Amino acid sequence: MRFDYAPAPESRSVVTLRDSYGLFIGGSFTGGSSVFKTISPATEEVLAEVTHAGPEDVDRAVAAARQAYERIWSVMPGRERGKYLFRIARLVQERARELAVLETMDNGKPIRESRDVDVPLAAAHFFYHAGWADKLGYAGFGPSPRPLGVVGQVIPWNFPLLMLAWKVAPALACGNTVVLKPAETTPLTALLFAEICQQADLPPGVVNIVTGDGSTGQSLVAHPGIDKVAFTGSTEVGKQIARACAVSGKRLTLELGGKAANVVFDDAPVDQAVEGIVNGIFFNQGHVCCAGSRLLVQESVRDEVLAALRRRMGTLRLGDPLDKNTDVGAINSRAQLDKIGELVASGEAEGASRWSAPCQLPDRGFWFPPTLFTEVSQAHRIAREEIFGPVLSVMTFRTPAEAVQKANNTPYGLSAGVWTEKGSLILWMASRLRAGVVWANTFNRFDPSSPFGGYKESGFGREGGRHGLEAYLDIAGGGDV
Ligand code: NDP
């Protein structure tokens, strides 16, 4: 029997959209070189006009960050910096509903996810790093580690507020000031965060937000006044940034793409594993760098797992992201939808077999149904390239050694999942999988105290935990780890 759900839309009234937004430089909103529009990917409605920062605007932002660094932030005792971070964390919590609704409107992700995952985790990152601000001398990097200076941060559109928190919280806790560029298609929660900085009385210039496209990001990472660059996004742009930063003396951390294997052994509880597979690839429409986009299932349980998976995919509700019952929201942009379509077409052309969950796609906006491919060979593009959409490639294995070999057969190395009842097998697999994070009997779990980052083409450096602090401290002279 199938239930029909009554619509349960979250109200938009909690959000006050301005017609246009300036750049946040030196503690106030200012104009820039030109403007662009940000739209809702679910409806294609224009939400607001946003300022495009040109090189001269980036210059102003870096100058404001430098001044705040030298005069205020780097000389402020850690316990005082910590108070600001606690204040920001509490304000994020107080304005959680507003942030969640705005995130969903600008990004297209289901409100259930922005409300229950993105915003609470963003607050948790500020709380966690607030706690570190006066304890850096005990973090294992020497008695009084120094900040690096002004940090340029460029973030993607898949978790706009959460990626901001991952970048801004540790940078500020360690005594750095920041200039952050959000993605072109999702600037609005970063601009609301700028208001939160004002509300928290954060000294002007400690956080600066410059909106724009790739050219703004390029001006920022190339700016000579930046001491460190932190980037999350595609491997291709990450490589360009690595080239731009080479021999500049800038410190660099890159969190790039992934093609994670989710490995299901024959003793795993099937229903639990299926929930993990669904969460691994359909959470956030698969716009997740660590998404479990390659399912490796032990051959003996392939048919059972696939039958249960198809059944479960058939119950996923795709549609209005503001509806609290929605599981799968909109694809973030037309460009991303085209990219998903192109890779899916390549899968079909190369001989893999496609199955999409039966669901009606809305007439307006950008949508793609939850999809899986079987008969996938390791050489297929859908098995090698990051699709960054709700598309799963299914392959099989017979022995643990074969599972490891197939899981590691990728240029990426960000995450992996293992499903089995045997603890010894989990440990055996975890020590052989070349991935920064290995989840056991779960997937896509995040915690600010747990370091996250990649191997190989997934980038370098860690975010979160004590390890993440290292990326924002000048420990070139030593440290005891
Ligand atoms: P990008 O890597 O291009 O974008 C990430 C951020 O970098 C955005 O803020 C972007 O600005 C900015 N940027 C773009 N070019 C430059 C540059 N030369 N120098 C500095 N900053 C730059 O990702 P896209 O949004 O274009 O997505 C393309 C593909 O990348 C996706 O299909 C997906 O496969 C992958 N991706 C992976 C992510 C991950 O976390 N692993 C995250 C996002 C994308 P703007 O948005 O304005 O162009």
Side-chain angles (χ1 to χ4, degrees):
M1 176 173 164
R2 198 178 158 83
F3 289 97
D4 266 336
Y5 286 68
E10 178 69 69
S11 168
R12 287 172 56 150
S13 64
V14 66
V15 167
T16 310
L17 277 178
R18 294 194 222 150
D19 291 339
S20 76
Y21 290 82
L23 309 170
F24 186 64
I25 296 179
S28 47
F29 287 93
T30 77
S33 61
S34 57
V35 292
F36 63 97
K37 291 180 170 52
T38 184
I39 64 165
S40 151
T43 59
E44 298 177 59
E45 122 197 44
V46 173
L47 295 174
E49 220 167 57
V50 180
T51 303
H52 179 277
E56 61 293 348
D57 304 312
V58 170
D59 230 21
R60 283 193 294 134
V62 174
R66 175 64 57 194
Q67 196 175 15
Y69 176 73
E70 279 168 7
R71 299 202 185 151
I72 307 169
W73 202 245
S74 66
V75 290
M76 186 184 278
R79 66 178 179 279
E80 295 302 319
R81 290 199 308 272
K83 288 181 194 168
Y84 284 103
L85 288 168
F86 276 122
R87 210 181 282 170
I88 290 172
R90 283 194 299 268
L91 286 166
V92 169
Q93 284 186 322
E94 272 172 32
R95 301 181 71 170
R97 199 156 148 237
E98 187 183 354
L99 285 162
V101 172
L102 187 61
E103 194 76 300
T104 284
M105 288 166 67
D106 205 19
N107 170 282
K109 65 175 68 202
I111 185 72
R112 217 158 39 82
E113 292 178 3
S114 44
R115 183 195 63 192
D116 298 348
V117 182
D118 296 51
V119 178
L121 270 176
H125 270 266
F126 281 101
F127 276 119
Y128 175 78
H129 287 97
W132 267 122
D134 62 347
K135 302 174 194 69
L136 297 171
Y138 306 96
F141 304 116
S144 45
R146 298 275 312 143
L148 290 167
V150 176
V151 184
Q153 306 181 318
V154 179
I155 56 172
W157 41 262
N158 52 344
F159 293 94
L161 182 72
L162 184 56
M163 287 302 105
L164 175 150
W166 280 31
K167 297 272 181 288
V168 172
L172 263 48
C174 293
N176 306 279
T177 57
V178 308
V179 180
L180 176 128
K181 192 202 90 69
E184 183 184 0
T185 57
T186 53
L188 294 183
T189 45
L191 294 164
L192 185 52
F193 179 80
E195 280 179 30
I196 287 175
C197 292
Q198 286 180 322
Q199 209 180 339
D201 272 334
L202 189 70
V206 172
V207 168
N208 304 274
I209 303 211
V210 288
T211 43
D213 62 9
S215 66
T216 307
Q218 237 169 335
S219 311
L220 180 56
V221 301
H223 197 287
I226 295 282
D227 300 295
K228 182 218 157 70
V229 171
F231 172 77
T232 296
S234 62
T235 295
E236 191 193 333
V237 173
K239 286 178 181 172
Q240 287 174 28
I241 290 178
R243 276 193 288 272
C245 290
V247 300
S248 68
K250 288 174 192 159
R251 290 272 297 271
L252 175 64
T253 41
L254 297 174
E255 200 267 88
L256 309 175
K259 193 75 190 173
N262 207 355
V263 184
V264 178
F265 285 94
D266 58 5
D267 63 341
V270 171
D271 288 347
Q272 199 187 328
V274 163
E275 285 310 306
I277 296 163
V278 166
N279 179 38
I281 186 63
F282 303 122
F283 169 62
N284 205 33
Q285 295 72 245
H287 300 328
V288 184
C289 47
C290 51
S293 52
R294 285 183 301 148
L295 173 63
L296 293 178
V297 58
Q298 199 151 15
E299 201 174 82
S300 51
V301 290
R302 173 193 183 272
D303 293 348
E304 187 189 354
V305 169
L306 278 182
L309 180 58
R310 287 201 179 98
R311 227 178 8 254
R312 179 67 179 93
M313 284 169 66
T315 67
L316 291 174
R317 298 175 58 81
L318 176 147
D320 178 7
L322 279 169
D323 190 317
K324 284 171 261 184
N325 292 322
T326 293
D327 300 307
V328 181
I331 301 302
N332 180 251
S333 64
R334 183 172 298 283
Q336 187 59 26
L337 181 60
D338 291 345
K339 184 185 164 194
I340 295 168
E342 195 263 315
L343 274 161
V344 164
S346 85
E348 290 177 305
E350 288 184 321
S353 169
R354 172 187 173 173
W355 182 85
S356 291
C359 56
Q360 203 171 353
L361 304 184
D363 297 332
R364 289 187 66 77
F366 316 127
W367 306 92
F368 202 87
T371 293
L372 65 80
F373 275 100
T374 48
E375 321 312 327
V376 178
S377 101
Q378 291 197 73
H380 288 165
R381 283 181 67 200
I382 53 168
R384 307 201 64 76
E385 296 181 28
E386 186 177 48
I387 301 177
F388 225 62
V391 181
L392 179 67
S393 298
V394 183
M395 288 168 281
T396 57
F397 66 92
R398 288 184 182 169
T399 62
E402 188 187 349
V404 168
Q405 189 272 326
K406 285 187 168 166
N408 287 341
N409 184 6
T410 167
Y412 296 111
L414 196 53
S415 64
V418 180
W419 296 82
T420 171
E421 281 192 343
K422 293 188 194 72
S424 56
L425 184 55
I426 289 171
L427 296 174
W428 189 89
M429 291 288 292
S431 65
R432 285 162 179 80
L433 291 169
R434 297 292 291 162
V437 181
V438 179
W439 285 293
N441 294 324
T442 187
F443 210 93
N444 274 341
R445 303 281 290 195
F446 306 96
D447 188 282
S449 63
S450 177
F452 183 89
Y455 285 104
K456 303 191 282 185
E457 293 207 4
S458 292
F460 48 81
R462 293 292 177 265
E463 293 187 289
R466 191 187 64 82
H467 302 76
L469 299 172
E470 188 177 342
Y472 289 99
L473 291 171
D474 182 6
I475 53 163
D480 48 21
V481 282

